[in-house]
Amino acid sequence: QVQLEESGGGLVQAGGSLRLSCAASGRTFSSYYMGWFRQAPGKEREIAAVISWNGRSTYYTDSVKGRFTISRDNANQLVYLQMNSLKSEDTAVYYCAADIISFRPTGWGRYWGQGTQVTVSS
């Protein structure tokens, strides 16, 4: 079991940068794949980025490739999402998620944080 809490959201100008953090607690944090999802107004949650348990493998949705970077610090039980060149379309609630298996298009995400709001002004 793992508990997740996001932080770092806020208001940023288009073209700016923001770093989200996800603090995890639990004895088996390093065993989990970690991901960042986001939910824009009126839309369902979508995957933004995923990182494997050892940090060697990552996945990014096409809309954020080259702009977002996911990373993890297992020693301190932290996962980050560095967001650069932000666009108004990136405005959403961002959620940290964890699962014992690698990413799947549907049904992935065993544990979830409460979310943090990111607003990008044009």
PDB file of all heavy atoms in Angstrom, residues 2-7 19-25 29-30 32 34 36 51-53 55 70-81 96:
ATOM      1  N   VAL A   2       0.414   2.284  -0.706  1.00  0.00           N
ATOM      2  CA  VAL A   2       1.140   3.538  -0.765  1.00  0.00           C
ATOM      3  C   VAL A   2       0.137   4.688  -0.705  1.00  0.00           C
ATOM      4  O   VAL A   2      -0.956   4.622  -1.277  1.00  0.00           O
ATOM      5  CB  VAL A   2       2.005   3.612  -2.045  1.00  0.00           C
ATOM      6  CG1 VAL A   2       1.150   3.522  -3.297  1.00  0.00           C
ATOM      7  CG2 VAL A   2       2.858   4.878  -2.058  1.00  0.00           C
ATOM      8  N   GLN A   3       0.503   5.730   0.010  1.00  0.00           N
ATOM      9  CA  GLN A   3      -0.293   6.946   0.087  1.00  0.00           C
ATOM     10  C   GLN A   3       0.428   8.046  -0.681  1.00  0.00           C
ATOM     11  O   GLN A   3       1.650   8.166  -0.597  1.00  0.00           O
ATOM     12  CB  GLN A   3      -0.522   7.375   1.533  1.00  0.00           C
ATOM     13  CG  GLN A   3      -1.356   6.393   2.357  1.00  0.00           C
ATOM     14  CD  GLN A   3      -0.549   5.193   2.811  1.00  0.00           C
ATOM     15  OE1 GLN A   3       0.562   5.328   3.313  1.00  0.00           O
ATOM     16  NE2 GLN A   3      -1.123   4.003   2.630  1.00  0.00           N
ATOM     17  N   LEU A   4      -0.332   8.862  -1.415  1.00  0.00           N
ATOM     18  CA  LEU A   4       0.238   9.855  -2.305  1.00  0.00           C
ATOM     19  C   LEU A   4      -0.329  11.236  -2.019  1.00  0.00           C
ATOM     20  O   LEU A   4      -1.518  11.380  -1.750  1.00  0.00           O
ATOM     21  CB  LEU A   4      -0.055   9.494  -3.767  1.00  0.00           C
ATOM     22  CG  LEU A   4       0.337   8.081  -4.215  1.00  0.00           C
ATOM     23  CD1 LEU A   4      -0.186   7.808  -5.609  1.00  0.00           C
ATOM     24  CD2 LEU A   4       1.850   7.919  -4.163  1.00  0.00           C
ATOM     25  N   GLU A   5       0.534  12.252  -2.110  1.00  0.00           N
ATOM     26  CA  GLU A   5       0.109  13.627  -1.913  1.00  0.00           C
ATOM     27  C   GLU A   5       0.867  14.536  -2.872  1.00  0.00           C
ATOM     28  O   GLU A   5       2.093  14.624  -2.815  1.00  0.00           O
ATOM     29  CB  GLU A   5       0.333  14.073  -0.473  1.00  0.00           C
ATOM     30  CG  GLU A   5      -0.182  15.472  -0.188  1.00  0.00           C
ATOM     31  CD  GLU A   5      -0.073  15.862   1.266  1.00  0.00           C
ATOM     32  OE1 GLU A   5       0.506  15.089   2.047  1.00  0.00           O
ATOM     33  OE2 GLU A   5      -0.573  16.935   1.631  1.00  0.00           O
ATOM     34  N   GLU A   6       0.128  15.245  -3.729  1.00  0.00           N
ATOM     35  CA  GLU A   6       0.727  16.135  -4.711  1.00  0.00           C
ATOM     36  C   GLU A   6       0.901  17.537  -4.147  1.00  0.00           C
ATOM     37  O   GLU A   6       0.160  17.965  -3.261  1.00  0.00           O
ATOM     38  CB  GLU A   6      -0.136  16.218  -5.978  1.00  0.00           C
ATOM     39  CG  GLU A   6      -0.458  14.884  -6.623  1.00  0.00           C
ATOM     40  CD  GLU A   6      -1.788  14.323  -6.172  1.00  0.00           C
ATOM     41  OE1 GLU A   6      -2.246  14.671  -5.049  1.00  0.00           O
ATOM     42  OE2 GLU A   6      -2.392  13.540  -6.929  1.00  0.00           O
ATOM     43  N   SER A   7       1.858  18.264  -4.721  1.00  0.00           N
ATOM     44  CA  SER A   7       2.059  19.661  -4.395  1.00  0.00           C
ATOM     45  C   SER A   7       2.756  20.334  -5.572  1.00  0.00           C
ATOM     46  O   SER A   7       3.264  19.670  -6.468  1.00  0.00           O
ATOM     47  CB  SER A   7       2.885  19.835  -3.120  1.00  0.00           C
ATOM     48  OG  SER A   7       4.185  19.289  -3.277  1.00  0.00           O
ATOM     49  N   ARG A  19       7.081  22.823 -11.524  1.00  0.00           N
ATOM     50  CA  ARG A  19       7.444  21.475 -11.123  1.00  0.00           C
ATOM     51  C   ARG A  19       6.478  20.963 -10.077  1.00  0.00           C
ATOM     52  O   ARG A  19       6.318  21.567  -9.009  1.00  0.00           O
ATOM     53  CB  ARG A  19       8.870  21.402 -10.576  1.00  0.00           C
ATOM     54  CG  ARG A  19       9.329  19.957 -10.361  1.00  0.00           C
ATOM     55  CD  ARG A  19      10.752  19.848  -9.866  1.00  0.00           C
ATOM     56  NE  ARG A  19      10.858  20.103  -8.436  1.00  0.00           N
ATOM     57  CZ  ARG A  19      11.904  19.741  -7.690  1.00  0.00           C
ATOM     58  NH1 ARG A  19      12.938  19.117  -8.258  1.00  0.00           N
ATOM     59  NH2 ARG A  19      11.930  20.026  -6.401  1.00  0.00           N
ATOM     60  N   LEU A  20       5.852  19.842 -10.379  1.00  0.00           N
ATOM     61  CA  LEU A  20       4.964  19.180  -9.445  1.00  0.00           C
ATOM     62  C   LEU A  20       5.724  18.111  -8.675  1.00  0.00           C
ATOM     63  O   LEU A  20       6.619  17.469  -9.210  1.00  0.00           O
ATOM     64  CB  LEU A  20       3.789  18.531 -10.178  1.00  0.00           C
ATOM     65  CG  LEU A  20       2.951  19.433 -11.085  1.00  0.00           C
ATOM     66  CD1 LEU A  20       1.797  18.632 -11.675  1.00  0.00           C
ATOM     67  CD2 LEU A  20       2.446  20.650 -10.334  1.00  0.00           C
ATOM     68  N   SER A  21       5.347  17.919  -7.424  1.00  0.00           N
ATOM     69  CA  SER A  21       5.946  16.892  -6.592  1.00  0.00           C
ATOM     70  C   SER A  21       4.862  15.974  -6.058  1.00  0.00           C
ATOM     71  O   SER A  21       3.742  16.403  -5.789  1.00  0.00           O
ATOM     72  CB  SER A  21       6.710  17.510  -5.421  1.00  0.00           C
ATOM     73  OG  SER A  21       7.772  18.316  -5.868  1.00  0.00           O
ATOM     74  N   CYS A  22       5.208  14.721  -5.899  1.00  0.00           N
ATOM     75  CA  CYS A  22       4.323  13.733  -5.307  1.00  0.00           C
ATOM     76  C   CYS A  22       5.091  13.029  -4.207  1.00  0.00           C
ATOM     77  O   CYS A  22       6.098  12.365  -4.477  1.00  0.00           O
ATOM     78  CB  CYS A  22       3.840  12.736  -6.366  1.00  0.00           C
ATOM     79  SG  CYS A  22       2.835  11.379  -5.720  1.00  0.00           S
ATOM     80  N   ALA A  23       4.634  13.193  -2.981  1.00  0.00           N
ATOM     81  CA  ALA A  23       5.258  12.547  -1.839  1.00  0.00           C
ATOM     82  C   ALA A  23       4.513  11.262  -1.524  1.00  0.00           C
ATOM     83  O   ALA A  23       3.290  11.265  -1.382  1.00  0.00           O
ATOM     84  CB  ALA A  23       5.253  13.477  -0.629  1.00  0.00           C
ATOM     85  N   ALA A  24       5.246  10.177  -1.433  1.00  0.00           N
ATOM     86  CA  ALA A  24       4.660   8.868  -1.184  1.00  0.00           C
ATOM     87  C   ALA A  24       5.080   8.346   0.174  1.00  0.00           C
ATOM     88  O   ALA A  24       6.181   8.631   0.660  1.00  0.00           O
ATOM     89  CB  ALA A  24       5.073   7.878  -2.266  1.00  0.00           C
ATOM     90  N   SER A  25       4.212   7.575   0.766  1.00  0.00           N
ATOM     91  CA  SER A  25       4.527   6.896   2.009  1.00  0.00           C
ATOM     92  C   SER A  25       4.097   5.441   1.896  1.00  0.00           C
ATOM     93  O   SER A  25       3.107   5.123   1.234  1.00  0.00           O
ATOM     94  CB  SER A  25       3.849   7.571   3.200  1.00  0.00           C
ATOM     95  OG  SER A  25       2.434   7.549   3.068  1.00  0.00           O
ATOM     96  N   PHE A  29       7.270   1.598  -1.680  1.00  0.00           N
ATOM     97  CA  PHE A  29       7.228   2.641  -2.698  1.00  0.00           C
ATOM     98  C   PHE A  29       8.065   2.293  -3.921  1.00  0.00           C
ATOM     99  O   PHE A  29       7.624   2.464  -5.059  1.00  0.00           O
ATOM    100  CB  PHE A  29       7.692   3.972  -2.119  1.00  0.00           C
ATOM    101  CG  PHE A  29       7.916   5.028  -3.162  1.00  0.00           C
ATOM    102  CD1 PHE A  29       6.846   5.687  -3.735  1.00  0.00           C
ATOM    103  CD2 PHE A  29       9.202   5.359  -3.571  1.00  0.00           C
ATOM    104  CE1 PHE A  29       7.046   6.665  -4.704  1.00  0.00           C
ATOM    105  CE2 PHE A  29       9.416   6.330  -4.538  1.00  0.00           C
ATOM    106  CZ  PHE A  29       8.332   6.979  -5.106  1.00  0.00           C
ATOM    107  N   SER A  30       9.277   1.820  -3.711  1.00  0.00           N
ATOM    108  CA  SER A  30      10.186   1.571  -4.818  1.00  0.00           C
ATOM    109  C   SER A  30       9.725   0.443  -5.727  1.00  0.00           C
ATOM    110  O   SER A  30      10.271   0.274  -6.817  1.00  0.00           O
ATOM    111  CB  SER A  30      11.596   1.276  -4.297  1.00  0.00           C
ATOM    112  OG  SER A  30      11.611   0.112  -3.497  1.00  0.00           O
ATOM    113  N   TYR A  32       6.716   0.270  -7.062  1.00  0.00           N
ATOM    114  CA  TYR A  32       5.594   0.745  -7.862  1.00  0.00           C
ATOM    115  C   TYR A  32       6.028   1.530  -9.086  1.00  0.00           C
ATOM    116  O   TYR A  32       6.983   2.302  -9.050  1.00  0.00           O
ATOM    117  CB  TYR A  32       4.677   1.629  -7.015  1.00  0.00           C
ATOM    118  CG  TYR A  32       3.861   0.874  -6.004  1.00  0.00           C
ATOM    119  CD1 TYR A  32       4.394   0.527  -4.772  1.00  0.00           C
ATOM    120  CD2 TYR A  32       2.547   0.515  -6.286  1.00  0.00           C
ATOM    121  CE1 TYR A  32       3.647  -0.177  -3.843  1.00  0.00           C
ATOM    122  CE2 TYR A  32       1.790  -0.186  -5.359  1.00  0.00           C
ATOM    123  CZ  TYR A  32       2.347  -0.524  -4.139  1.00  0.00           C
ATOM    124  OH  TYR A  32       1.594  -1.215  -3.214  1.00  0.00           O
ATOM    125  N   MET A  34       5.019   4.651 -11.247  1.00  0.00           N
ATOM    126  CA  MET A  34       4.396   5.909 -10.866  1.00  0.00           C
ATOM    127  C   MET A  34       4.002   6.689 -12.108  1.00  0.00           C
ATOM    128  O   MET A  34       4.684   6.639 -13.131  1.00  0.00           O
ATOM    129  CB  MET A  34       5.341   6.755 -10.013  1.00  0.00           C
ATOM    130  CG  MET A  34       5.841   6.063  -8.753  1.00  0.00           C
ATOM    131  SD  MET A  34       4.506   5.692  -7.579  1.00  0.00           S
ATOM    132  CE  MET A  34       3.917   7.352  -7.199  1.00  0.00           C
ATOM    133  N   TRP A  36       1.708  10.368 -13.710  1.00  0.00           N
ATOM    134  CA  TRP A  36       0.970  11.622 -13.573  1.00  0.00           C
ATOM    135  C   TRP A  36      -0.172  11.628 -14.582  1.00  0.00           C
ATOM    136  O   TRP A  36       0.052  11.434 -15.784  1.00  0.00           O
ATOM    137  CB  TRP A  36       1.861  12.838 -13.808  1.00  0.00           C
ATOM    138  CG  TRP A  36       2.818  13.126 -12.698  1.00  0.00           C
ATOM    139  CD1 TRP A  36       4.117  12.743 -12.606  1.00  0.00           C
ATOM    140  CD2 TRP A  36       2.539  13.878 -11.516  1.00  0.00           C
ATOM    141  NE1 TRP A  36       4.678  13.200 -11.442  1.00  0.00           N
ATOM    142  CE2 TRP A  36       3.726  13.906 -10.747  1.00  0.00           C
ATOM    143  CE3 TRP A  36       1.408  14.533 -11.025  1.00  0.00           C
ATOM    144  CZ2 TRP A  36       3.811  14.561  -9.521  1.00  0.00           C
ATOM    145  CZ3 TRP A  36       1.493  15.180  -9.804  1.00  0.00           C
ATOM    146  CH2 TRP A  36       2.675  15.190  -9.072  1.00  0.00           C
ATOM    147  N   ILE A  51       6.573   6.461 -15.145  1.00  0.00           N
ATOM    148  CA  ILE A  51       7.955   6.071 -14.940  1.00  0.00           C
ATOM    149  C   ILE A  51       7.993   4.719 -14.244  1.00  0.00           C
ATOM    150  O   ILE A  51       7.188   4.444 -13.352  1.00  0.00           O
ATOM    151  CB  ILE A  51       8.731   7.144 -14.136  1.00  0.00           C
ATOM    152  CG1 ILE A  51      10.228   6.833 -14.101  1.00  0.00           C
ATOM    153  CG2 ILE A  51       8.158   7.294 -12.732  1.00  0.00           C
ATOM    154  CD1 ILE A  51      11.073   8.006 -13.603  1.00  0.00           C
ATOM    155  N   SER A  52       8.934   3.865 -14.657  1.00  0.00           N
ATOM    156  CA  SER A  52       9.051   2.540 -14.077  1.00  0.00           C
ATOM    157  C   SER A  52       9.611   2.611 -12.667  1.00  0.00           C
ATOM    158  O   SER A  52      10.104   3.655 -12.217  1.00  0.00           O
ATOM    159  CB  SER A  52       9.941   1.656 -14.951  1.00  0.00           C
ATOM    160  OG  SER A  52      11.251   2.184 -15.046  1.00  0.00           O
ATOM    161  N   TRP A  53       9.579   1.480 -11.979  1.00  0.00           N
ATOM    162  CA  TRP A  53       9.994   1.448 -10.575  1.00  0.00           C
ATOM    163  C   TRP A  53      11.446   1.852 -10.381  1.00  0.00           C
ATOM    164  O   TRP A  53      11.797   2.441  -9.351  1.00  0.00           O
ATOM    165  CB  TRP A  53       9.757   0.059  -9.983  1.00  0.00           C
ATOM    166  CG  TRP A  53      10.609  -1.018 -10.595  1.00  0.00           C
ATOM    167  CD1 TRP A  53      10.322  -1.794 -11.677  1.00  0.00           C
ATOM    168  CD2 TRP A  53      11.903  -1.436 -10.145  1.00  0.00           C
ATOM    169  NE1 TRP A  53      11.343  -2.664 -11.934  1.00  0.00           N
ATOM    170  CE2 TRP A  53      12.324  -2.462 -11.005  1.00  0.00           C
ATOM    171  CE3 TRP A  53      12.741  -1.047  -9.092  1.00  0.00           C
ATOM    172  CZ2 TRP A  53      13.556  -3.101 -10.858  1.00  0.00           C
ATOM    173  CZ3 TRP A  53      13.963  -1.679  -8.949  1.00  0.00           C
ATOM    174  CH2 TRP A  53      14.355  -2.691  -9.820  1.00  0.00           C
ATOM    175  N   GLY A  55      13.128   3.795 -12.613  1.00  0.00           N
ATOM    176  CA  GLY A  55      13.383   5.025 -13.332  1.00  0.00           C
ATOM    177  C   GLY A  55      14.009   4.868 -14.698  1.00  0.00           C
ATOM    178  O   GLY A  55      14.301   5.875 -15.355  1.00  0.00           O
ATOM    179  N   ILE A  70       9.320  13.380 -16.320  1.00  0.00           N
ATOM    180  CA  ILE A  70       8.991  12.703 -15.080  1.00  0.00           C
ATOM    181  C   ILE A  70      10.262  12.090 -14.501  1.00  0.00           C
ATOM    182  O   ILE A  70      11.106  11.572 -15.239  1.00  0.00           O
ATOM    183  CB  ILE A  70       7.896  11.630 -15.288  1.00  0.00           C
ATOM    184  CG1 ILE A  70       7.437  11.050 -13.945  1.00  0.00           C
ATOM    185  CG2 ILE A  70       8.363  10.532 -16.234  1.00  0.00           C
ATOM    186  CD1 ILE A  70       6.214  10.141 -14.056  1.00  0.00           C
ATOM    187  N   SER A  71      10.413  12.158 -13.197  1.00  0.00           N
ATOM    188  CA  SER A  71      11.567  11.579 -12.527  1.00  0.00           C
ATOM    189  C   SER A  71      11.157  11.107 -11.146  1.00  0.00           C
ATOM    190  O   SER A  71      10.096  11.477 -10.648  1.00  0.00           O
ATOM    191  CB  SER A  71      12.723  12.580 -12.439  1.00  0.00           C
ATOM    192  OG  SER A  71      12.343  13.732 -11.699  1.00  0.00           O
ATOM    193  N   ARG A  72      12.001  10.293 -10.535  1.00  0.00           N
ATOM    194  CA  ARG A  72      11.681   9.805  -9.199  1.00  0.00           C
ATOM    195  C   ARG A  72      12.935   9.706  -8.351  1.00  0.00           C
ATOM    196  O   ARG A  72      14.044   9.502  -8.853  1.00  0.00           O
ATOM    197  CB  ARG A  72      10.955   8.456  -9.256  1.00  0.00           C
ATOM    198  CG  ARG A  72      11.784   7.292  -9.777  1.00  0.00           C
ATOM    199  CD  ARG A  72      10.909   6.070 -10.031  1.00  0.00           C
ATOM    200  NE  ARG A  72      10.262   5.589  -8.811  1.00  0.00           N
ATOM    201  CZ  ARG A  72       9.226   4.761  -8.775  1.00  0.00           C
ATOM    202  NH1 ARG A  72       8.690   4.320  -9.919  1.00  0.00           N
ATOM    203  NH2 ARG A  72       8.712   4.376  -7.618  1.00  0.00           N
ATOM    204  N   ASP A  73      12.741   9.833  -7.054  1.00  0.00           N
ATOM    205  CA  ASP A  73      13.792   9.721  -6.060  1.00  0.00           C
ATOM    206  C   ASP A  73      13.303   8.703  -5.043  1.00  0.00           C
ATOM    207  O   ASP A  73      12.596   9.043  -4.097  1.00  0.00           O
ATOM    208  CB  ASP A  73      14.061  11.080  -5.417  1.00  0.00           C
ATOM    209  CG  ASP A  73      15.124  11.030  -4.337  1.00  0.00           C
ATOM    210  OD1 ASP A  73      15.638   9.934  -4.028  1.00  0.00           O
ATOM    211  OD2 ASP A  73      15.451  12.102  -3.794  1.00  0.00           O
ATOM    212  N   ASN A  74      13.664   7.450  -5.262  1.00  0.00           N
ATOM    213  CA  ASN A  74      13.152   6.384  -4.412  1.00  0.00           C
ATOM    214  C   ASN A  74      13.629   6.502  -2.967  1.00  0.00           C
ATOM    215  O   ASN A  74      12.904   6.138  -2.040  1.00  0.00           O
ATOM    216  CB  ASN A  74      13.549   5.021  -4.978  1.00  0.00           C
ATOM    217  CG  ASN A  74      12.754   4.654  -6.210  1.00  0.00           C
ATOM    218  OD1 ASN A  74      11.756   5.288  -6.541  1.00  0.00           O
ATOM    219  ND2 ASN A  74      13.199   3.618  -6.914  1.00  0.00           N
ATOM    220  N   ALA A  75      14.851   6.997  -2.776  1.00  0.00           N
ATOM    221  CA  ALA A  75      15.392   7.124  -1.431  1.00  0.00           C
ATOM    222  C   ALA A  75      14.535   8.052  -0.576  1.00  0.00           C
ATOM    223  O   ALA A  75      14.385   7.829   0.629  1.00  0.00           O
ATOM    224  CB  ALA A  75      16.830   7.620  -1.478  1.00  0.00           C
ATOM    225  N   ASN A  76      13.988   9.087  -1.193  1.00  0.00           N
ATOM    226  CA  ASN A  76      13.157  10.047  -0.479  1.00  0.00           C
ATOM    227  C   ASN A  76      11.673   9.901  -0.791  1.00  0.00           C
ATOM    228  O   ASN A  76      10.867  10.740  -0.371  1.00  0.00           O
ATOM    229  CB  ASN A  76      13.624  11.467  -0.784  1.00  0.00           C
ATOM    230  CG  ASN A  76      14.992  11.755  -0.219  1.00  0.00           C
ATOM    231  OD1 ASN A  76      15.197  11.722   0.985  1.00  0.00           O
ATOM    232  ND2 ASN A  76      15.953  12.030  -1.106  1.00  0.00           N
ATOM    233  N   GLN A  77      11.312   8.874  -1.533  1.00  0.00           N
ATOM    234  CA  GLN A  77       9.928   8.568  -1.868  1.00  0.00           C
ATOM    235  C   GLN A  77       9.224   9.748  -2.523  1.00  0.00           C
ATOM    236  O   GLN A  77       8.143  10.175  -2.106  1.00  0.00           O
ATOM    237  CB  GLN A  77       9.167   8.097  -0.628  1.00  0.00           C
ATOM    238  CG  GLN A  77       9.793   6.871   0.024  1.00  0.00           C
ATOM    239  CD  GLN A  77       8.913   6.252   1.087  1.00  0.00           C
ATOM    240  OE1 GLN A  77       7.738   5.962   0.841  1.00  0.00           O
ATOM    241  NE2 GLN A  77       9.476   6.033   2.262  1.00  0.00           N
ATOM    242  N   LEU A  78       9.843  10.273  -3.572  1.00  0.00           N
ATOM    243  CA  LEU A  78       9.314  11.417  -4.293  1.00  0.00           C
ATOM    244  C   LEU A  78       9.257  11.144  -5.790  1.00  0.00           C
ATOM    245  O   LEU A  78      10.130  10.475  -6.342  1.00  0.00           O
ATOM    246  CB  LEU A  78      10.171  12.655  -4.049  1.00  0.00           C
ATOM    247  CG  LEU A  78      10.178  13.226  -2.630  1.00  0.00           C
ATOM    248  CD1 LEU A  78      11.267  14.272  -2.502  1.00  0.00           C
ATOM    249  CD2 LEU A  78       8.825  13.822  -2.292  1.00  0.00           C
ATOM    250  N   VAL A  79       8.231  11.672  -6.428  1.00  0.00           N
ATOM    251  CA  VAL A  79       8.098  11.657  -7.877  1.00  0.00           C
ATOM    252  C   VAL A  79       7.856  13.084  -8.330  1.00  0.00           C
ATOM    253  O   VAL A  79       7.088  13.814  -7.697  1.00  0.00           O
ATOM    254  CB  VAL A  79       6.941  10.746  -8.333  1.00  0.00           C
ATOM    255  CG1 VAL A  79       6.849  10.734  -9.852  1.00  0.00           C
ATOM    256  CG2 VAL A  79       7.133   9.341  -7.807  1.00  0.00           C
ATOM    257  N   TYR A  80       8.510  13.472  -9.414  1.00  0.00           N
ATOM    258  CA  TYR A  80       8.405  14.836  -9.917  1.00  0.00           C
ATOM    259  C   TYR A  80       7.860  14.857 -11.334  1.00  0.00           C
ATOM    260  O   TYR A  80       8.028  13.910 -12.100  1.00  0.00           O
ATOM    261  CB  TYR A  80       9.767  15.524  -9.916  1.00  0.00           C
ATOM    262  CG  TYR A  80      10.457  15.560  -8.579  1.00  0.00           C
ATOM    263  CD1 TYR A  80      11.506  14.693  -8.292  1.00  0.00           C
ATOM    264  CD2 TYR A  80      10.073  16.465  -7.603  1.00  0.00           C
ATOM    265  CE1 TYR A  80      12.147  14.725  -7.075  1.00  0.00           C
ATOM    266  CE2 TYR A  80      10.707  16.506  -6.376  1.00  0.00           C
ATOM    267  CZ  TYR A  80      11.746  15.636  -6.118  1.00  0.00           C
ATOM    268  OH  TYR A  80      12.378  15.676  -4.900  1.00  0.00           O
ATOM    269  N   LEU A  81       7.230  15.962 -11.665  1.00  0.00           N
ATOM    270  CA  LEU A  81       6.864  16.246 -13.046  1.00  0.00           C
ATOM    271  C   LEU A  81       7.313  17.665 -13.351  1.00  0.00           C
ATOM    272  O   LEU A  81       6.698  18.628 -12.890  1.00  0.00           O
ATOM    273  CB  LEU A  81       5.361  16.096 -13.282  1.00  0.00           C
ATOM    274  CG  LEU A  81       4.922  16.252 -14.738  1.00  0.00           C
ATOM    275  CD1 LEU A  81       5.458  15.098 -15.592  1.00  0.00           C
ATOM    276  CD2 LEU A  81       3.398  16.324 -14.857  1.00  0.00           C
ATOM    277  N   CYS A  96      -1.267  12.334  -9.079  1.00  0.00           N
ATOM    278  CA  CYS A  96      -0.222  11.336  -8.960  1.00  0.00           C
ATOM    279  C   CYS A  96      -0.873   9.973  -8.759  1.00  0.00           C
ATOM    280  O   CYS A  96      -1.853   9.854  -8.019  1.00  0.00           O
ATOM    281  CB  CYS A  96       0.687  11.683  -7.782  1.00  0.00           C
ATOM    282  SG  CYS A  96       2.074  10.568  -7.519  1.00  0.00           S
TER     283      CYS A  96
END
